[in-house]
Amino acid sequence: KNYTPKPFKLRFTKEEHQLIKDQIVYNNLHRFIVVNPDYKKDVFQSNKDWGWSKWAELSKRLSDLKHTKVVRIKPTSDLEDLPYAQNVHINNVRIAFGVISKAKLFVSYEGGLMHAMGGFNVPGVILYGGLTSVNAMKYERNTNIVYDHPETPCGRQFDCDHCKIANSWMTVERVFNTVKEKLND
């Protein structure tokens, strides 16, 4: 079924606003885009795994664009750094969302970050693959990359060949070109 979620906006305390501002200043985060290669591995197995090498290649291509700073907000410090991106560790999800809300654009697989940024009206390029229906999670400012196939959405909570094919279909070139177009809007 078609469903348009009602975006909500987190409300920050005065102290949180200051912490967000401090992170932006400390990390020199001005005119930046967020690339989010992270996904929960406990619910849908690897069906949301676009591939680390693809995220790294996308980050490289985006970092080559003029006036584009690529940032990855790391939820834990023990995660591998995303090559060609400024990796910033913020362990408080509210502060992380506050920082990301200042981004010009974000790129992510569909999930929690997409919902939070929908509330802040931050434009995104969202990868859907074959797992979830885009009709259930439309945000006006997002450009969605969806694998159009009879099995989409499959919703499978086990490793799925259909999702693997969908993730292969979403090439770095396709995602990069979509991000470039979105940046030029």
Side-chain angles (χ1 to χ4, degrees):
K1 292 181 180 182
N2 284 337
Y3 171 76
T4 303
K6 290 185 180 183
F8 74 97
K9 188 172 180 178
L10 291 173
R11 293 189 180 110
F12 298 110
T13 66
K14 186 177 179 181
E15 293 80 15
E16 287 172 326
H17 276 294
Q18 186 59 53
L19 289 169
I20 292 163
K21 183 179 176 184
D22 291 348
Q23 283 286 338
I24 289 169
V25 170
Y26 178 77
N27 291 293
N28 192 25
L29 300 179
H30 304 285
R31 190 165 161 62
F32 66 102
I33 65 172
V34 170
V35 174
N36 176 37
D38 303 304
Y39 63 97
K40 278 191 209 175
K41 296 176 177 88
D42 59 344
V43 179
F44 293 108
Q45 301 289 327
S46 61
N47 294 340
K48 289 186 178 185
D49 183 3
W50 188 47
W52 185 255
S53 62
K54 286 182 176 180
W55 286 111
E57 179 62 26
L58 178 64
S59 180
K60 180 184 184 317
R61 288 186 182 192
L62 291 173
S63 69
D64 289 340
L65 296 176
K66 287 184 180 179
H67 310 295
T68 304
K69 179 183 248 185
V70 179
V71 175
R72 181 220 189 168
I73 304 296
K74 291 172 51 171
T76 62
S77 60
D78 61 338
L79 292 175
E80 181 179 352
D81 281 351
L82 180 64
Y84 307 101
Q86 179 178 343
N87 291 269
V88 178
H89 172 241
I90 302 175
N91 63 357
N92 179 315
V93 70
R94 291 176 58 83
I95 303 306
F97 284 168
V99 169
I100 297 168
S101 76
K102 306 300 182 192
K104 179 177 170 81
L105 175 77
F106 75 100
V107 186
S108 180
Y109 221 98
E110 59 85 11
L113 180 61
M114 173 190 73
H115 294 298
M117 292 307 104
F120 287 109
N121 207 25
V122 178
V125 173
I126 310 300
L127 285 63
Y128 273 87
L131 182 67
T132 309
S133 173
V134 69
N135 293 325
M137 295 191 263
K138 289 183 182 175
Y139 289 96
E140 283 184 36
R141 298 205 59 203
N142 289 348
T143 299
N144 303 308
I145 301 175
V146 183
Y147 180 58
D148 188 15
H149 185 274
E151 286 186 47
T152 303
C154 71
R156 293 186 179 112
Q157 294 186 350
F158 52 85
D159 283 344
C160 169
D161 288 337
H162 162 258
C163 289
K164 285 183 179 122
I165 293 167
N167 284 323
S168 293
W169 172 84
M170 292 186 296
T171 63
V172 173
E173 187 72 19
R174 182 182 309 267
V175 175
F176 175 72
N177 287 336
T178 303
V179 172
K180 267 187 13 183
E181 287 174 20
K182 192 83 171 167
L183 285 170
N184 291 328
D185 281 352

